[in-house]
Amino acid sequence: MSFHVITQAPARLNRSELAVPGSAPQMFEKAAQSDADVIFLDLEDAVAPDDKAQARKNIIKALNEMDWGKKTMSVRINGLDTHYMYRDVVDVVEQAGERLDLIMIPKVGTAADVYAVDMMVTQIEDARGYKKRIGFEHIIETALGMQNVTEIAGASKRNESLHFGVADYAASTRARTTIIGGVNPDYSVLTDKLEDGSRQVHWGDMWHYALARMVVAARANGLRPVDGPFGDFSDPDGYRAAAKRAAVLGCEGKWAIHPSQVALANEVMSPSEAEVTRAQRILKAMEQAAAEGKGAVSLDGRLIDYASIRQAEVLVQKARQISG
Ligand code: GLV
Ligand code: MG
């Protein structure tokens, strides 16, 4: 290990993160009753400009008056390039800061963006005498944000998670997509002709680079990487496939832009029983190996060593966190 110690963000379950427009208070109760680990009440892109002020009021009232149980509650503020943002922060943190766990900052582009919001939130918390500190989740969804993702990830002690905002990222990089989070079949290669004259198409994941880069920046700074939206809520197979590839890369969760996606995210982002059982067997086998003075042994015909312990512990700890 490096001499540099990575401080981990507070451990929270973040398998599913349900987006709820602040301008649609009729959806709040259903969200509160859902199995989402995290809910973000939106003031940004799901809310029309004329509805922003009312949405702020709805969110403040709902945070103060509704029973959200043990859910982690977040509010997505507007971007720092809009005049809505300062009022989002001032009103929501002043009037509902005690029930707010996280602020989601969209289209974050530089470490200075994080610094600016941190300064505002710190002043309000201090003035109000809040004991709890609000954490930050950042949506990496612009070319600038992706370019500066490492600095953003390390920009504040409040940072908890990075989210891949695939829709805005596509717009910012001018990627060719039509479905939010979908994968364009043109992202493929055609092999040279094989001996029999045939050729094969190999499809790739056009979001791989962005997602993998964000995961590395998040993990190197002790943050949770979370995959963003999948727009076609009538396509559970597409959602599952997108969530699985994010989970395989190290993401802890995925957004749900519709309540039906919450169960899918929770399912994919929880380690399966078979995975946990195998991890427990690895830990047991390595315990026995250590007792016998061995550093590596074989289990089911495969080599396991000290790195296997660290891999297995990740799964076992996650299972423990889920079972509460
Ligand atoms: C989320 O905000 C996205 O743009 O995908
Ligand atoms: Mg966006």
Side-chain angles (χ1 to χ4, degrees), residues 44-45 76 107 141 168:
E44 200 220 12
D45 278 356
R76 178 163 75 168
K107 300 179 183 69
E141 53 181 344
D168 273 304

Side-chain angles (χ1 to χ4, degrees), residues 130-258:
Y130 292 153
K131 303 226 164 41
K132 196 181 74 182
R133 295 273 142 181
I134 293 168
F136 286 167
E137 31 184 20
H138 301 292
I139 317 182
I140 305 300
E141 53 181 344
T142 60
L144 184 64
M146 193 57 80
Q147 175 176 269
N148 295 322
V149 65
T150 306
E151 290 76 18
I152 290 166
S156 169
K157 287 204 169 72
R158 295 180 188 273
N159 285 359
E160 288 204 12
S161 53
L162 299 181
H163 300 243
F164 180 49
V166 66
D168 273 304
Y169 186 76
S172 173
T173 56
R174 303 187 190 192
R176 293 197 180 184
T177 53
T178 47
I179 299 173
I180 293 178
V183 179
N184 190 326
D186 283 348
Y187 196 74
S188 59
V189 291
L190 191 60
T191 61
D192 291 342
K193 283 198 177 127
L194 305 176
E195 268 172 24
D196 64 1
S198 68
R199 309 175 82 181
Q200 287 179 350
V201 179
H202 289 265
W203 281 286
D205 176 2
M206 63 188 287
W207 310 119
H208 174 81
Y209 166 76
L211 208 48
R213 183 167 174 182
M214 189 196 77
V215 169
V216 171
R219 293 300 186 192
N221 287 277
L223 313 182
R224 299 183 292 277
V226 177
D227 191 22
F230 186 80
D232 188 349
F233 54 81
S234 55
D235 179 10
D237 291 342
Y239 183 95
R240 238 190 231 106
K244 274 188 182 169
R245 67 91 157 78
V248 166
L249 280 180
C251 283
E252 288 197 24
K254 183 161 175 63
W255 288 17
I257 49 94
H258 187 271

Side-chain angles (χ1 to χ4, degrees), residues 24-322:
Q26 70 281 7
M27 293 182 181
F28 291 0
E29 191 53 49
K30 190 170 177 190
Q33 298 305 323
S34 75
D35 288 328
D37 291 332
V38 184
I39 292 177
F40 80 80
L41 300 172
D42 193 15
L43 286 169
E44 200 220 12
D45 278 356
V47 179
D50 288 350
D51 297 337
K52 300 273 188 202
Q54 185 57 46
R56 245 181 241 131
K57 289 187 190 144
N58 298 341
I59 288 176
I60 291 165
K61 186 168 157 44
L63 284 172
N64 286 322
E65 294 176 10
M66 279 182 55
D67 181 5
W68 297 96
K70 287 199 189 132
K71 291 198 178 353
T72 295
M73 296 304 295
S74 179
V75 169
R76 178 163 75 168
I77 60 173
N78 284 281
L80 276 80
D81 58 328
T82 74
H83 63 80
Y84 304 113
M85 172 261 166
Y86 84 96
R87 182 105 350 253
D88 293 343
V89 175
V90 171
D91 285 5
V92 174
V93 180
E94 273 193 352
Q95 296 173 47
E98 287 202 295
R99 181 55 187 94
L100 193 59
D101 300 298
L102 303 168
I103 287 177
M104 176 179 269
I105 305 176
K107 300 179 183 69
V108 59
T110 67
D113 288 345
V114 183
Y115 186 88
V117 183
D118 196 349
M119 179 269 291
M120 285 183 73
V121 172
T122 301
Q123 289 200 17
I124 302 167
E125 284 178 341
D126 289 351
R128 291 275 149 163
Y130 292 153
K131 303 226 164 41
K132 196 181 74 182
R133 295 273 142 181
I134 293 168
F136 286 167
E137 31 184 20
H138 301 292
I139 317 182
I140 305 300
E141 53 181 344
T142 60
L144 184 64
M146 193 57 80
Q147 175 176 269
N148 295 322
V149 65
T150 306
E151 290 76 18
I152 290 166
S156 169
K157 287 204 169 72
R158 295 180 188 273
N159 285 359
E160 288 204 12
S161 53
L162 299 181
H163 300 243
F164 180 49
V166 66
D168 273 304
Y169 186 76
S172 173
T173 56
R174 303 187 190 192
R176 293 197 180 184
T177 53
T178 47
I179 299 173
I180 293 178
V183 179
N184 190 326
D186 283 348
Y187 196 74
S188 59
V189 291
L190 191 60
T191 61
D192 291 342
K193 283 198 177 127
L194 305 176
E195 268 172 24
D196 64 1
S198 68
R199 309 175 82 181
Q200 287 179 350
V201 179
H202 289 265
W203 281 286
D205 176 2
M206 63 188 287
W207 310 119
H208 174 81
Y209 166 76
L211 208 48
R213 183 167 174 182
M214 189 196 77
V215 169
V216 171
R219 293 300 186 192
N221 287 277
L223 313 182
R224 299 183 292 277
V226 177
D227 191 22
F230 186 80
D232 188 349
F233 54 81
S234 55
D235 179 10
D237 291 342
Y239 183 95
R240 238 190 231 106
K244 274 188 182 169
R245 67 91 157 78
V248 166
L249 280 180
C251 283
E252 288 197 24
K254 183 161 175 63
W255 288 17
I257 49 94
H258 187 271
S260 66
Q261 294 179 337
V262 169
L264 300 174
N266 287 349
E267 171 201 313
V268 174
M269 296 296 169
S270 306
S272 68
E273 230 176 275
E275 283 174 305
V276 177
T277 305
R278 169 145 177 93
Q280 282 162 338
R281 287 182 61 226
I282 289 172
L283 293 179
K284 218 175 200 156
M286 284 305 295
E287 220 178 275
Q288 198 176 331
E292 292 165 9
K294 293 181 196 156
V297 284
S298 92
L299 180 70
D300 303 335
R302 294 192 192 124
L303 177 99
I304 56 170
D305 66 6
Y306 282 100
S308 316
I309 298 183
R310 290 186 284 274
Q311 288 178 314
E313 274 172 349
V314 168
L315 285 166
V316 171
Q317 272 166 17
K318 173 62 72 182
R320 229 177 268 139
Q321 195 188 18
I322 292 167

